[in-house]
Amino acid sequence: MPLRQYVYFALSSSRTTAQEMTAWLGIEPDETTVRGSRRADSPPLPVTHRWKVVCREPGLSVDELVARLLDRLGPHTDRIAELAARLAAEDEEYGSAVLEVVRYFNDDEATHGAAATVQPNLFGWHLDPDVLRFLAATGAALDVDEYDMTPD
């Protein structure tokens, strides 16, 4: 079954911009979202500013994708935790930190360019104690989105 997956860590706020988050952390994000950049009326879309570090390397398990994120973010855990707490305190509804796992099953895009070699089993995954400590320290939620892309 073709599988495409990626992970990201994001900080969100309806008040603090991604640029301000970058200045606070001293870490350049891979992606940002600007509140109201798609629609400024009420409610604006997107509803939050978002600062994201992403790992989209194909052929890696979720464990390996998350480990790559933690290699980048782990040394900055204290600053991330401080900022995440500040965002949550100033914006109770939208201030948040999240580790997001996104998986697309039966995805034709996953097979484009794939070599005719045996692919590793990417279906099972776990979070090791270092990841759990990072999530606890930063107050981050774990969110897993899985989509079945099988044509109807």
Side-chain angles (χ1 to χ4, degrees):
M1 172 186 316
L3 171 65
R4 179 172 53 102
Q5 58 190 8
Y6 65 95
V7 300
Y8 66 84
F9 178 82
L11 296 166
S12 301
S13 174
S14 64
R15 300 168 78 190
T16 302
T17 68
Q19 185 177 14
E20 292 168 319
M21 293 180 210
T22 300
W24 173 269
L25 294 171
I27 306 168
E28 286 297 322
D30 297 321
E31 300 175 11
T32 61
T33 302
V34 176
R35 181 177 191 256
S37 60
R38 285 183 260 169
R39 192 177 82 201
D41 57 352
S42 184
L45 287 180
V47 297
T48 63
H49 300 286
R50 188 166 257 198
W51 177 99
K52 291 170 61 173
V53 173
V54 184
C55 186
R56 297 180 190 274
E57 286 188 50
L60 297 181
S61 67
V62 169
D63 316 33
E64 294 166 320
L65 293 167
V66 171
R68 300 271 170 102
L69 278 184
L70 270 259
D71 287 346
R72 291 177 62 192
L73 297 175
H76 309 282
T77 300
D78 292 342
R79 292 290 284 169
I80 294 168
E82 289 173 26
L83 179 56
R86 192 183 101 204
L87 296 176
E90 76 182 16
D91 187 354
E92 290 181 16
E93 186 174 4
Y94 294 112
S96 67
V98 65
L99 174 63
E100 185 81 37
V101 177
V102 183
R103 307 175 80 193
Y104 296 91
F105 297 93
N106 294 307
D107 184 21
D108 287 338
E109 189 174 315
T111 59
H112 293 305
T117 59
V118 175
Q119 297 294 316
N121 182 350
L122 302 178
F123 295 106
W125 58 280
H126 77 282
L127 300 177
D128 67 33
D130 289 338
V131 175
L132 298 176
R133 280 191 284 277
F134 177 81
L135 294 175
T138 60
L142 171 64
D143 187 41
V144 179
D145 293 342
E146 298 186 327
Y147 304 98
D148 182 356
M149 305 303 286
T150 306
D152 291 338

